[in-house]
Amino acid sequence: MRILFLLAALSSCFAQSPTAERILDRYIEVTGGKDAYAKVKSLSILGTMEIKGQGVKGEMRMYRMDGSKYYTVVDLPGIGKQEDGSNGNVVWDKTVLGPRLKTGVEKFLAICAAGAMSEYGRGALEKDSCYSKAEVIGEEVVDGKTAYKLKMTPKEGKPEEQYYDKESGLLLRTKMVLPSPMGEVPIVAIVNEYRDIDGIKTPVKLTNEMGAVAMVMTFTSVKFNEAIPDAMFALPPEIQALVKAGRK
Amino acid sequence: MKRFVIGVVLSFAAYAQQLETFDAVWKTVADKHWNPKQLEALPGGGSWEGLRESYRQRVQAANGQAEVRSILREMVAKIGKSHYAIAGLELKGTKGMRQGGGTAPGFRVGLVEGKVVVTGLSPGMTSVGMGWELLGVDGMPVIKTIEAAETLQTGLRLHQMLQTQIGGFSGQVVAYDFVTAAGVKKTVRVTIPQGDGSAGFGFVQGMNVQREFALIGKTKDIGYFRLDMFLDVVRVLPQFQKAIEQCAKCRGFVIDLRGNPGGVAVMANAMSGWFIKDSDVKLGTMYQRGVELKFAVIPRLNGFEGPLAILVDGASASTSEIMAGGLQDLKRARIFGTRTAGAALPSIIETLPNGDLFQFAVANYVSESGKELEGVGVKPDVEVAHTLAALRAGKDRPIEATINWIYANPVSTRRP
């Protein structure tokens, strides 16, 4: 009886939650490994964005390059082109509201997401990570799967919660609060589908829920290391004018 | 026997769909209404939860889609707010009322001193005169009263009814029966103009957005931009920018939102940016469940610094009220006309299981000064309405009031 009790106690020790670092490292391992991520210097994505349930769907193109360069354009019928970009130094967007330079926390978080494979290629926190802290704060059932819940604290901005499938190690969803001209917007980003692209299991369908609105992004083409001309990341004339005018 | 079985299966499918449609409407409101506490105490008594079973049973017993639609309309009306609507694919208007197309004929009408009269002319319209009384369209008398007594947004409802009656399809020839300013009966055949392309957003499509830029005033140095709907972002916003650029040396600027029922809300933010200099300025705040969004205005370079007047009336609604109310609260614009509709809630339109469209409000909106616009509207700084005498003399009193104010105030107003 005493021997059985001892064995039960020992097995419960081994069953303790892994550390946040281990969960983040495992995500990298199960999706392709650090070496595979390190080879990706640029990302070109073609797809669609749909405002769910409202009959609005348009083309989306995203380009990412190491050096914090990015450019995204979404063309929604009835609204037109909404653009978002960075030349590695100036971070901006051009939407229905007008052209704008991003500053402060908004700029920091935009740059964080701007690298070719962003944070998720880095595994556990390194000194140049956008996050200062990663903690496991529990487990939760998400979309029928038991997930580790991590609190990720960025160096600027509000903490976010990331949910990793206990069984597969894959990221299932992220809850975050992002700054915007309209104020702080709570967003739940759900990964609906992964696909193997050149040896890296890559999210190819995501749903962003913002209040009563859900936006579904579906990637029909994802290419790594495609040559992207520098002009793709050039500042549009309206943005150059804002920079020249010293606008913030 | 086979036909009977198929009939039973189809009936069951239709019946199941009726209940599915009810459940979709009821649950959407329960889950997405921005303030659950308001659902616990509805304006007419009872709660949203409390009315569920009785309405579900009525839909269960309903005989067809039209009856389901009617029951659901009655149910959502209990919420007591604007921007809740159930729309069928077929138009159903007041009995005996002409159902025209979505394109305006080149003139606008309104109810003035009890008569439906011409209140505005599009550029190039010369066969119709201001102040002419409209009696009928294509042989059908104009209906100018609302069947059910409505104390909410009467001006908006009436305006929509009148526009429906006078509208047509591009290229269609429509006969309008008038009494001219001189008291003479006259029938005018108008070819409905071609628009510059149809516009829409989501399930609202096929709209022909009328807009106009002109220089007005005795020395043609006041910019005037009229917009009849906040849609067609791709064309309207660049045209508005061009109007501002053309008006760099204007003495003042007038935005005419009379009869504008709203549309894409952020167009109000975008257009307002041309009149604002400071950062961190907002028109108001939208309150969704768990989320507050500022209706931020991004200041544009080389915006307009002179006096700004905005024209509104009882049919100016939603985005029109957000823009007029916000700029009024910021003391950037002076508002002229008559009180707006008080229908300012941000809303979404989704498809129901039976194919009908369900529009529902997803947020409350509070203007920058803290006022709720819903049910109240924007009260103009200068209340001025059309009169028959002025219209028949070819005058638009509200526009004249804006011109007089601008000429009397040559110094720029404060530009936040």
Side-chain angles (χ1 to χ4, degrees):
Chain A
M1 197 59 180
R2 213 182 276 170
I3 294 167
L4 281 170
F5 178 75
L6 181 61
L7 281 171
L10 280 172
S11 67
S12 77
C13 285
F14 290 133
Q16 275 174 2
S17 284
T19 60
E21 287 74 16
R22 180 66 205 118
I23 293 169
L24 294 172
D25 278 342
R26 187 171 171 232
Y27 174 77
I28 299 306
E29 284 162 21
V30 302
T31 52
K34 268 193 176 175
D35 289 347
Y37 276 92
K39 287 178 187 158
V40 179
K41 303 298 178 194
S42 77
L43 191 56
S44 306
I45 294 175
L46 179 64
T48 59
M49 180 182 281
E50 181 185 359
I51 304 179
K52 213 168 162 189
Q54 290 181 52
V56 179
K57 187 175 178 178
E59 189 190 77
M60 180 178 69
R61 286 182 288 127
M62 288 168 64
Y63 302 94
R64 298 275 184 275
M65 188 178 272
D66 273 356
S68 304
K69 294 182 185 179
Y70 74 90
Y71 176 67
T72 302
V73 59
V74 178
D75 194 351
L76 291 176
I79 292 287
K81 286 187 182 168
Q82 311 300 300
E83 298 172 87
D84 191 5
S86 162
N87 64 356
N89 181 28
V90 175
V91 183
W92 58 272
D93 68 21
K94 233 178 91 182
T95 66
V96 175
L97 294 180
R100 194 175 67 93
L101 300 176
K102 293 188 186 182
T103 59
V105 175
E106 209 188 347
K107 180 179 179 179
F108 173 82
L109 292 174
I111 292 284
C112 279
M117 291 310 282
S118 73
E119 273 295 289
Y120 302 128
R122 298 190 181 180
L125 300 183
E126 295 172 4
K127 64 175 190 295
D128 60 345
S129 169
C130 286
Y131 298 97
S132 57
K133 208 170 167 188
E135 311 159 79
V136 180
I137 56 172
E139 291 181 15
E140 213 167 285
V141 174
V142 170
D143 302 327
K145 297 171 184 157
T146 306
Y148 292 118
K149 185 171 165 180
L150 265 61
K151 179 179 172 183
M152 302 289 292
T153 306
K155 288 172 180 164
E156 291 183 43
K158 296 205 162 167
E160 55 187 63
E161 288 172 2
Q162 294 181 3
Y163 298 77
Y164 290 86
D165 186 347
K166 253 180 115 165
E167 194 182 314
S168 67
L170 293 173
L171 175 68
L172 297 174
R173 64 173 59 188
T174 305
K175 286 185 185 173
M176 50 200 156
V177 177
L178 293 182
S180 80
M182 310 286 266
E184 292 190 332
V185 182
I187 297 177
V188 178
I190 301 163
V191 182
N192 303 111
E193 189 184 329
Y194 283 88
R195 197 185 313 144
D196 189 294
I197 313 273
D198 294 346
I200 296 180
K201 205 171 263 197
T202 308
V204 291
K205 188 172 177 185
L206 300 109
T207 301
N208 283 348
E209 292 176 349
M210 288 163 287
V213 175
M215 299 222 229
V216 181
M217 293 184 288
T218 306
F219 304 157
T220 50
S221 163
V222 178
K223 290 183 180 166
F224 297 149
N225 299 324
E226 191 178 53
I228 303 174
D230 244 2
M232 188 65 73
F233 308 108
L235 303 182
E238 300 91 328
I239 302 299
Q240 289 179 33
L242 290 177
V243 173
K244 198 172 168 190
R247 272 283 179 96
K248 285 191 180 169
Chain B
M1 179 64 180
K2 191 173 165 187
R3 214 179 272 177
F4 172 76
V5 168
I6 291 170
V8 166
V9 168
L10 286 175
S11 304
F12 182 76
Y15 157 83
Q17 193 183 65
Q18 278 175 203
L19 286 179
E20 218 182 307
T21 299
F22 170 86
D23 290 337
V25 170
W26 189 89
K27 194 168 184 309
T28 297
V29 173
D31 290 347
K32 295 188 178 176
H33 191 279
W34 67 90
N35 186 348
K37 284 216 176 301
Q38 287 184 0
L39 295 180
E40 289 168 13
L42 298 174
S47 69
W48 190 245
E49 176 68 47
L51 59 70
R52 181 175 181 269
E53 200 43 47
S54 61
Y55 275 94
R56 199 170 195 272
Q57 285 175 14
R58 286 176 59 188
V59 164
Q60 191 172 12
N63 188 16
Q65 197 157 328
E67 195 179 338
V68 169
R69 196 177 299 136
S70 174
I71 296 167
L72 291 177
R73 280 179 180 149
E74 185 190 302
M75 183 174 76
V76 299
K78 298 281 182 199
I79 301 166
K81 298 286 184 195
S82 71
H83 290 81
Y84 281 91
I86 311 280
L89 294 176
E90 80 281 358
L91 284 173
K92 187 181 175 191
T94 304
K95 196 175 167 186
M97 188 173 86
R98 178 179 180 269
Q99 303 291 330
T103 303
F107 61 88
R108 298 177 292 285
V109 298
L111 192 67
V112 180
E113 295 173 28
K115 297 181 192 297
V116 176
V117 296
V118 175
T119 56
L121 302 170
S122 295
M125 168 50 75
T126 53
S127 52
V128 173
M130 289 281 276
W132 288 14
E133 183 183 358
L134 181 66
L135 300 178
V137 186
D138 277 348
M140 296 177 74
V142 166
I143 290 174
K144 60 188 179 186
T145 54
I146 300 173
E147 275 187 4
E150 284 190 42
T151 55
L152 193 65
Q153 299 143 20
T154 309
L156 177 62
R157 297 277 172 262
L158 183 62
H159 176 82
Q160 288 167 343
M161 269 175 57
L162 293 175
Q163 300 323 300
T164 298
Q165 292 178 79
I166 69 169
F169 299 98
S170 295
Q172 181 187 10
V173 178
V174 179
Y176 298 91
D177 300 318
F178 289 105
V179 175
T180 69
V184 174
K185 281 194 176 175
K186 186 176 182 180
T187 296
V188 177
R189 283 182 166 63
V190 174
T191 302
I192 303 295
Q194 289 289 345
D196 55 2
S198 88
F201 182 70
F203 295 118
V204 178
Q205 294 292 337
M207 310 307 289
N208 214 312
V209 177
Q210 306 284 315
R211 64 264 185 200
E212 180 191 336
F213 174 66
L215 292 171
I216 61 174
K218 49 183 184 281
T219 38
K220 302 285 185 222
D221 53 1
I222 294 174
Y224 168 82
F225 192 92
R226 189 179 71 84
L227 181 66
D228 79 343
M229 209 178 302
F230 281 96
L231 276 180
D232 205 358
V233 170
V234 175
R235 292 192 192 97
V236 170
L237 291 187
Q239 284 175 345
F240 189 75
Q241 175 172 348
K242 199 169 165 194
I244 296 291
E245 287 163 356
Q246 275 181 254
C247 227
K249 293 187 165 52
C250 287
R251 294 170 75 118
F253 204 93
V254 178
I255 299 176
D256 191 347
L257 300 178
R258 290 177 294 178
N260 185 324
V264 175
V266 290
M267 286 180 73
N269 308 56
M271 289 167 67
S272 298
W274 290 103
F275 303 98
I276 299 291
K277 223 167 25 183
D278 293 344
S279 315
D280 298 323
V281 170
K282 65 184 195 295
L283 298 176
T285 305
M286 189 169 93
Y287 295 91
Q288 288 187 49
R289 197 179 288 195
V291 183
E292 273 181 35
L293 291 178
K294 295 186 278 187
F295 260 59
V297 178
I298 311 291
R300 302 300 297 261
L301 287 178
N302 307 315
F304 184 75
E305 305 220 5
L308 170 65
I310 298 180
L311 283 160
V312 295
D313 64 11
S316 304
S318 198
T319 304
S320 298
E321 300 180 277
I322 287 171
M323 185 169 181
L327 289 172
Q328 182 184 51
D329 290 345
L330 290 167
K331 299 189 181 353
R332 181 59 186 98
R334 195 158 173 84
I335 313 301
F336 293 76
T338 54
R339 188 183 285 270
T340 64
L345 301 182
S347 66
I348 287 175
I349 300 176
E350 290 184 351
T351 314
L352 292 170
N354 68 353
D356 280 356
L357 297 179
F358 176 34
Q359 180 185 23
F360 56 95
V362 292
N364 193 18
Y365 181 82
V366 176
S367 195
E368 177 61 354
S369 64
K371 290 189 304 257
E372 275 198 21
L373 296 181
E374 179 67 12
V376 176
V378 176
K379 183 176 184 298
D381 299 297
V382 178
E383 301 215 40
V384 53
H386 287 301
T387 62
L388 276 182
L391 284 168
R392 285 169 178 162
K395 292 177 198 265
D396 183 322
R397 286 181 77 238
I399 288 184
E400 287 198 348
T402 66
I403 293 171
N404 293 340
W405 173 70
I406 287 168
Y407 280 135
N409 290 278
V411 177
S412 308
T413 56
R414 185 182 82 85
R415 184 178 178 218

